[in-house]
Amino acid sequence: MRQSCVDDSRMIGECAFLAARLALALIVATVSGVADAGASTCRLIKIAEFPVRLVRNKLIIDGAINDHKIGIQLDTGAGRSFILRSAADRLGLTRQQVRGARMFGVGGETNVESAYVDSFKIGETERKGWRPLVVGERDLGTDVAFLLGEDFFHQIDVEFDLANGAIRLFQAKDCDGVSLAYWTNIGVGEVGLEPISDANPQILLSVQINGKSVQALLDSGAAMSVLDKRDAARLGVTPDTPGAYRVGTDGGLGSNLVEYWSGRFQTFAIGNETIRDANIVFADLWHGPRLTDRAFPGSSVTFNPSMLLGADFLRAHRVLVAHSQRKLYFTFTGGQVFGPAEPAKHSGAIKQDAAQGDAKAALTASDNEEGKP
């Protein structure tokens, strides 16, 4: 779920600091294994592993707030971690307005509040005495109370292994110039990441659609990958293009509903992977108030990427986001990459088995904590 802030830097800075403390607490408290990433001095230390489940294509792990069990959605598209307002009400939390803070996402602007939490738990790790943000104008379902954003993940390297139902967190040691795709050395895609701002961390990378460069945000909180409508038009596809059709409406953090279409693009390429005749959803993602590149003093963050690379992409790949190297490693595991459309044609370093209908059936990766490419 794409989200950006224009903020009272003291309050939101405190929330980012506490999220970072929670991530670092995992490093200190739960070191559990080492994966050999292929060089004698490089070690990829596994600091945590969480079982993850897909609920309507949302990545959910278990947690607790004040000893009440909650679902935590993993949302790399959110620059800030937060409690949903509907969940804060269900949990009986007292909300307070955050003066001077504004937050935007798909569907427009959302009111920004905060709430005091006695205890917040992920797995066996607990954070006491936290005041996270409270936002969101719509309920995402009773199973989701908290969105864990990129302010948490950008402190560490994170692996999305959805075929094996796992999210793994790593700390890389002496791994400059070494591939961190420890599970294989065959068909590994590699893409550089843009510099990450502490003010509003985002996983931004470049993809190519119809041969043209497009800035994409890796957004695990987006159930499906979505291209901005204006960029789709720039690439030759509009709602009036033959073969394009209306998918429906949906919302995000804001109160407005957004209309979605699907269109066929000649090629989509990322790293060593090319998808031909790709059906990609597009929408007017940033309708309404639009943030400028200078929303944060001294920063040059691009708040409105052209594409959200969502959970459908993660479902069809094994992905390691190496923040330590500013790289993304991935391998194709099978299944449909974009949405529910008919199977796309792949070329390059990947191959799709026609018998594979789901990414979970396609991957037989090792679950060992130590492995070599």
Side-chain angles (χ1 to χ4, degrees):
M1 178 178 295
R2 175 66 171 76
Q3 163 257 86
S4 296
C5 309
V6 180
D7 68 308
D8 173 337
S9 59
R10 179 192 61 81
M11 170 58 72
I12 295 183
E14 177 185 1
C15 293
F17 172 75
L18 290 172
R21 285 286 301 274
L22 183 62
L24 292 174
L26 285 171
I27 294 175
V28 172
T30 61
V31 172
S32 58
V34 178
D36 184 345
S40 59
T41 60
C42 174
R43 290 294 181 269
L44 195 59
I45 304 169
K46 189 172 78 172
I47 56 180
E49 179 171 335
F50 301 119
V52 63
R53 60 186 185 276
L54 280 172
V55 180
R56 298 188 301 276
N57 238 29
K58 297 173 184 175
L59 280 61
I60 310 296
I61 63 174
D62 293 326
I65 290 179
N66 296 347
D67 294 326
H68 294 282
K69 291 184 178 180
I70 62 167
I72 298 174
Q73 182 175 347
L74 308 181
D75 190 354
T76 59
R80 296 284 174 263
S81 301
F82 55 86
I83 299 175
L84 289 169
R85 201 174 340 270
S86 56
D89 291 341
R90 289 197 301 269
L91 294 167
L93 304 178
T94 300
R95 297 184 274 117
Q96 295 180 337
Q97 191 69 31
V98 179
R99 291 180 296 176
R102 302 178 70 191
M103 187 175 289
F104 299 79
V106 174
E109 186 170 2
T110 178
N111 187 36
V112 182
E113 300 173 309
S114 68
Y116 183 80
V117 171
D118 290 320
S119 170
F120 176 76
K121 292 181 180 178
I122 302 177
E124 299 301 317
T125 303
E126 181 177 15
R127 177 69 189 175
K128 290 183 175 290
W130 192 17
R131 185 177 286 277
L133 298 179
V134 178
V135 302
E137 304 307 311
R138 58 183 67 250
D139 197 344
L140 299 183
T142 56
D143 192 43
V144 177
F146 192 91
L147 272 70
L148 195 63
E150 179 62 7
D151 54 344
F152 175 87
F153 291 110
H154 86 291
Q155 304 290 324
I156 46 186
D157 294 348
V158 56
E159 179 188 359
F160 295 90
D161 183 7
L162 301 188
N164 287 314
I167 300 294
R168 302 182 186 96
L169 307 181
F170 294 95
Q171 184 183 34
K173 293 287 190 180
D174 302 317
C175 292
D176 289 347
V178 178
S179 172
L180 298 185
Y182 66 91
W183 60 92
T184 186
N185 60 358
I186 300 173
V188 177
E190 182 178 318
V191 181
L193 304 179
E194 297 184 17
I196 294 178
S197 165
D198 288 334
N200 192 51
Q202 300 178 99
I203 304 172
L204 293 169
L205 59 146
S206 291
V207 301
Q208 289 74 44
I209 300 179
N210 289 355
K212 296 182 180 180
S213 181
V214 171
Q215 185 191 56
L217 171 72
L218 186 67
D219 186 355
S220 63
M224 59 184 174
S225 299
V226 185
L227 183 64
D228 186 62
K229 184 180 177 183
R230 273 167 275 203
D231 289 279
R234 175 174 66 89
L235 297 167
V237 177
T238 73
D240 298 323
T241 298
Y245 60 92
R246 183 178 180 274
V247 175
T249 58
D250 198 2
L253 282 183
S255 59
N256 300 322
L257 290 175
V258 177
E259 197 166 16
Y260 290 81
W261 293 267
S262 180
R264 187 176 295 274
F265 294 82
Q266 293 175 352
T267 59
F268 171 91
I270 176 172
N272 65 349
E273 177 176 315
T274 297
I275 303 173
R276 301 187 184 281
D277 297 329
N279 283 328
I280 301 176
V281 171
F282 60 96
D284 190 3
L285 293 174
W286 316 125
H287 178 73
R290 296 175 67 87
L291 300 177
T292 67
D293 286 352
R294 295 286 175 181
F296 286 97
S299 73
S300 57
V301 179
T302 301
F303 285 101
N304 298 309
S306 299
M307 185 178 191
L308 305 180
L309 203 57
D312 50 357
F313 177 85
L314 294 173
R315 186 188 61 217
H317 297 84
R318 187 166 179 172
V319 175
L320 181 79
V321 182
H323 290 103
S324 60
Q325 296 181 336
R326 274 179 43 199
K327 289 184 179 180
L328 182 143
Y329 298 94
F330 64 95
T331 53
F332 178 65
T333 59
Q336 190 61 42
V337 176
F338 295 125
E342 62 196 78
K345 303 165 192 170
H346 292 69
S347 68
I350 64 170
K351 181 179 180 181
Q352 182 172 355
D353 184 345
Q356 292 171 337
D358 187 271
K360 289 186 178 180
L363 183 62
T364 57
S366 170
D367 197 33
N368 294 335
E369 292 181 0
E370 298 190 11
K372 292 186 178 182

